[in-house]
Amino acid sequence: MGFRDLAYRLYERRLEASLSGKAIPRHVGVMCDGNRRWARSAGHTDVNKGHLKGADKIFELLQWCKQSGVEVVTLWLLSTDNLTRPRQELDPLLLIIEDTVNDLIDEGWHVNPMGALDLLPDHTARVLKHAAEVTSHNPGLLVNVAVGYGGRREIADAVRSLLVDHASKGTTIEQLADAVDVEHIAEHLYTAGQPDPDLVIRTSGEQRLGGFLLWQSTHSEFYFCDAYWPAFRRVDFLRALRSYSERNRRYGS
């Protein structure tokens, strides 16, 4: 081990020790951004090299979250906007996502797909639905896999589901208008029954939400990291947790 590696390990341990007794987020949302830019910066002409490297990083992150006591992780892997990418990039990316989800199944994680699955190719949608079915009783960390996900689409889907649900019970529009509130809509979100994200991390240096968990992130703390997603390190994750632990969460009070 070289001096640089030793220094890194010591710093990592110091960061970890600084979190002892501090508040740890129950739910962490991660915008896994920068795969293509990482590939280009590494000299690859095929951006799927970045997507593959980014897929490997997911499993490292989940172990870090498990070790830290995080209960829910939401990974944004593909947005509704990403579905407009050229087929020569999108098709291999969807295969990488399918392989990643199958690996999550094999490793025993509790997988919850979220997104507009009807916009995805049939095979990809089937893989995601299968993951939800076969891992639904797995204990431990819950992994939300956001594929074909958009925050506005989620809210629209929630309202649509709410209307259909009440229509099936014979509720009139007037009755629904009088009764509907924030909690009713939240019950129909992709994350229904889960705690809202306490911490949202975005990699690659971009400082915007881009539609990620628009409804749920009202009171979330945000951490923006300059590293591209494939280069995201445990020390970066620990820094995000340290930043979170140092904030005073007032929830508007």
Side-chain angles (χ1 to χ4, degrees), residues 3-231:
F3 176 77
R4 184 174 181 177
D5 290 336
L6 178 60
Y8 175 84
R9 295 299 180 194
L10 290 173
Y11 178 54
E12 185 181 86
R13 290 174 185 172
R14 189 174 71 183
L15 274 174
E16 190 171 17
S18 73
L19 293 171
S20 179
K22 299 290 182 64
I24 297 296
R26 292 181 64 196
H27 183 171
V28 176
V30 184
M31 304 172 71
C32 307
D33 194 23
N35 291 331
R36 296 189 295 178
R37 279 169 284 169
W38 178 89
R40 295 185 184 109
S41 69
H44 299 295
T45 56
D46 182 3
V47 295
N48 286 302
K49 298 288 187 180
H51 295 314
L52 284 167
K53 190 73 172 178
D56 292 338
K57 185 61 61 175
I58 287 170
F59 296 90
E60 293 181 49
L61 174 77
L62 294 181
Q63 289 297 337
W64 302 337
C65 288
K66 181 180 178 181
Q67 293 163 6
S68 300
V70 175
E71 299 173 18
V72 182
V73 177
T74 298
L75 303 166
W76 198 9
L77 303 186
L78 188 76
S79 72
T80 49
D81 292 336
N82 295 154
L83 294 173
T84 63
R85 289 181 179 177
R87 300 307 308 182
Q88 60 266 30
E89 179 185 350
L90 183 59
D91 289 346
L93 174 55
L94 288 169
L95 288 175
I96 291 169
I97 289 173
E98 291 175 17
D99 289 342
T100 300
V101 171
N102 284 324
D103 288 342
L104 290 170
I105 294 172
D106 292 340
E107 289 197 4
W109 298 101
H110 180 179
V111 181
N112 176 57
M114 48 184 282
L117 301 190
D118 56 304
L119 298 181
L120 301 174
D122 288 343
H123 188 264
T124 303
R126 285 199 301 271
V127 168
L128 290 164
K129 291 174 183 177
H130 174 70
E133 292 171 3
V134 301
T135 69
S136 61
H137 297 295
N138 288 357
L141 186 69
L142 172 61
V143 184
N144 291 319
V145 179
V147 181
Y149 174 86
R152 289 179 174 177
R153 174 66 186 245
E154 178 181 21
I155 295 169
D157 283 349
V159 172
R160 186 180 302 110
S161 175
L162 174 67
L163 292 173
V164 169
D165 181 38
H166 280 269
S168 68
K169 300 173 183 176
T171 307
T172 67
I173 286 293
E174 291 77 12
Q175 290 171 328
L176 180 57
D178 287 338
V180 70
D181 57 19
V182 170
E183 286 71 25
H184 284 117
I185 295 175
E187 290 170 0
H188 292 267
L189 294 171
Y190 301 148
T191 56
Q194 301 178 21
D196 287 340
D198 303 293
L199 174 65
V200 174
I201 300 171
R202 180 166 188 164
T203 58
S204 85
E206 303 290 352
Q207 297 191 25
R208 61 180 182 274
L209 274 181
F212 185 50
L213 300 176
L214 288 178
W215 182 283
Q216 300 91 329
S217 63
T218 299
H219 297 295
S220 299
E221 302 294 332
F222 298 94
Y223 185 83
F224 300 105
C225 177
D226 287 336
Y228 297 139
W229 171 243

Side-chain angles (χ1 to χ4, degrees), residues 221 243-253:
E221 302 294 332
S243 176
Y244 172 82
S245 72
E246 293 173 345
R247 302 183 191 184
N248 180 18
R249 306 188 73 200
R250 296 183 295 276
Y251 301 96
S253 63

